[in-house]
């Protein structure tokens, strides 16, 4: 027979076992570690490799970094000692997108797949990774994949993968492309995508300045993209690249970051030759009328990258400031509600940066390491300032 001591031990064991799922759940929901950004800075100190892309998922509390060598790094922001790294592509990892519901990260390279005579490189098309383990779940190695934007969508389980001017639909459950791709022949390559969950609206921008507004429909045989509108706010032409498109206010407003040939021509005499053509405009549009509502000021002389963390009304611009006498790398944060911008130093002309909203902190990734920055929301709403 079991003695009293044995029965007591067994009851304690049962009670502990009953609490275990709750403790594990609480640990999983513990949130981002307040020391994460400093741990990231320490781990990257004196690292001799540039980061070309960085993105953060508030839902997964995961930071993804794409390196010049093609490496993908997945940093669990809930901990200070957790990092997964994989050799994602043969060349620079430049595009990143999250699928929080599926627990995935999608990457693409700055160079597409190539099969030309003796040159065969088929590791630079889009790839789908398990966000925690880094396991490769799907890869597109066909030799006709060209660089393009990648994105989640308002439809769970469906993602958009661009191959220059073709927009493909990826069904993660099937691990396959479904439906017919949307082809924007003659309208340029797809450089940026954003979407709004409430309205179901999707916006895509091209390197010729076209904005395409769409909705995605899941159907029995797969899925279908429906084009609602096509508009070139600044005109259609070369060097009109849309670096970022961002839907606001339930999909009724659109913020665009776009190269401006007119602005580049006007500033040409004061800009070093290497940075001419990188002059930009950031504009907020009313999508019902395409009325230009607000043009945001900028202290940057040239921009090479624009991005944002979903759910945050801040833009992150990476570029340079100065003139012919001296040009320096900078990161500019633009508060889209107040119109105020904040400029931060970078030690390279091709830095990148990312915001972590729950900490109200950001990370500038630059040559030889990373730097922490703090950003704050306005205490009160600031009225729009008229464009000068």
């Amino acid at each position: 027979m079991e003695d009293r001591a044995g029965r007591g031990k067994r009851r304690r064991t049962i009670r502990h076992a009953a609490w275990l799922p709750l403790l594990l759940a609480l640990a999983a929901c513990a949130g981002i570690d307040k020391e994460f950004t400093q741990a990231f800075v320490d781990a990257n100190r004196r690292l001799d490799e540039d980061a070309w892309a960085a993105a953060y998922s508030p839902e997964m509390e995961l930071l993804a970094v794409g390196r010049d060598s093609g490496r993908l790094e997945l940093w669990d922001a809930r901990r200070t000692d957790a990092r997964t790294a994989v050799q994602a592509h043969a060349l620079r990892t430049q595009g990143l997108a999250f699928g929080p519901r599926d627990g995935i990260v999608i990457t693409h390279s700055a160079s597409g797949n190539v099969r030309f005579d003796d040159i065969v490189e088929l590791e630079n098309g889009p790839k789908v990774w398990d966000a925690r383990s880094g396991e490769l779940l799907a890869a597109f190695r066909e030799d006709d994949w060209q660089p393009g934007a990648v994105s989640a969508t308002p439809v769970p389980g469906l993602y958009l993968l661009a191959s220059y001017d073709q927009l493909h639909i990826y069904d993660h459950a099937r691990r396959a492309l479904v439906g017919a791709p949307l082809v924007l022949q003659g309208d340029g390559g797809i450089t940026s995508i954003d979407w709004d969950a409430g309205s179901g609206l999707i916006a895509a921008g091209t390197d010729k300045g076209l904005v395409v507004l769409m909705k995605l429909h899941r159907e029995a045989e797969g899925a279908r993209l429906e084009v609602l509108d096509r508009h070139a706010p600044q005109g259609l032409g070369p060097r009109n690249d849309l670096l970022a498109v961002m839907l606001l206010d339930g999909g009724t407003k659109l913020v665009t970051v776009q190269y401006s040939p007119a602005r580049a021509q006007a500033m040409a005499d004061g800009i070093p030759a290497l940075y001419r053509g990188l002059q930009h405009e950031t504009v907020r549009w009313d999508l019902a009328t395409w009325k230009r509502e607000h043009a945001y000021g900028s202290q940057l002389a040239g921009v090479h990258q624009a991005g944002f963390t979903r759910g945050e009304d801040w833009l992150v611009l990476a570029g340079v400031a100065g003139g012919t006498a001296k040009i320096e790398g900078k990161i500019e944060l633009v508060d889209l509600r107040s119109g105020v911008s904040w400029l931060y130093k970078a030690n390279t002309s091709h830095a990148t940066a990312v915001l972590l909203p729950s900490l109200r902190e950001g990370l500038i990734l630059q040559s030889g390491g990373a730097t922490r920055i703090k950003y704050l929301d306005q205490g009160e709403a600031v009225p729009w300032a008229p464009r000068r």
Side-chain angles (χ1 to χ4, degrees), residues 297-308:
S298 176
Q299 302 174 68
L300 295 177
V303 169
H304 67 268
Q305 188 181 78
F308 54 91

Side-chain angles (χ1 to χ4, degrees), residues 176-189:
L177 303 179
V178 296
L182 175 66
V183 180
L184 302 178
Q185 190 170 4
D187 292 325

Side-chain angles (χ1 to χ4, degrees), residues 348-385:
T348 174
S349 60
H350 272 75
T352 189
V354 61
L355 299 183
L356 287 72
S358 60
L359 291 181
R360 312 313 288 167
E361 289 190 16
L363 289 165
I364 298 175
L365 286 77
Q366 53 193 337
S367 178
T371 302
R372 298 167 68 188
I373 57 175
K374 287 277 190 180
Y375 68 103
L376 300 172
D377 290 324
Q378 292 282 0
E380 296 180 358
V382 177
W384 291 109

Side-chain angles (χ1 to χ4, degrees), residues 53 67 81-82 85 102 106-107 116 134 137-138 160 175 209 214 261 264 266 306 315 330 343 363-364 369 373:
R67 297 286 181 178
D81 59 349
D102 293 310
I106 303 176
T107 64
F116 182 76
L137 303 176
L160 296 178
R175 304 292 197 273
M214 303 165 283
L315 273 175
K330 301 288 184 182
L343 203 63
L363 289 165
I364 298 175
I373 57 175

Side-chain angles (χ1 to χ4, degrees), residues 25 27 37 70 80 100 109 125 133 138 141 149 151 154 167 174 177 221 224 256 267 290 308 387:
T37 51
T80 59
S109 175
S133 69
R141 296 187 171 93
S151 176
L167 197 54
R174 301 185 186 185
L177 303 179
E221 62 274 16
R224 172 179 60 89
T256 59
M267 296 175 64
W290 283 106
F308 54 91
R387 186 185 180 204

Side-chain angles (χ1 to χ4, degrees), residues 194-248:
D194 191 29
W195 54 279
D196 177 71
S199 65
L201 190 65
I202 300 170
T206 77
D207 59 9
K208 289 189 177 180
L210 180 71
V211 175
V212 183
L213 301 179
M214 303 165 283
K215 284 196 173 182
L216 178 60
H217 304 280
R218 188 189 290 276
E219 299 177 338
E221 62 274 16
R224 172 179 60 89
L225 280 167
E226 175 192 7
V227 175
L228 304 177
D229 193 11
R230 299 157 67 102
H231 187 73
Q234 312 274 31
L236 198 64
R239 300 302 298 165
N240 279 352
D241 307 45
L242 281 153
L243 301 179
V245 291
M246 184 179 182
L247 290 163
L248 294 177

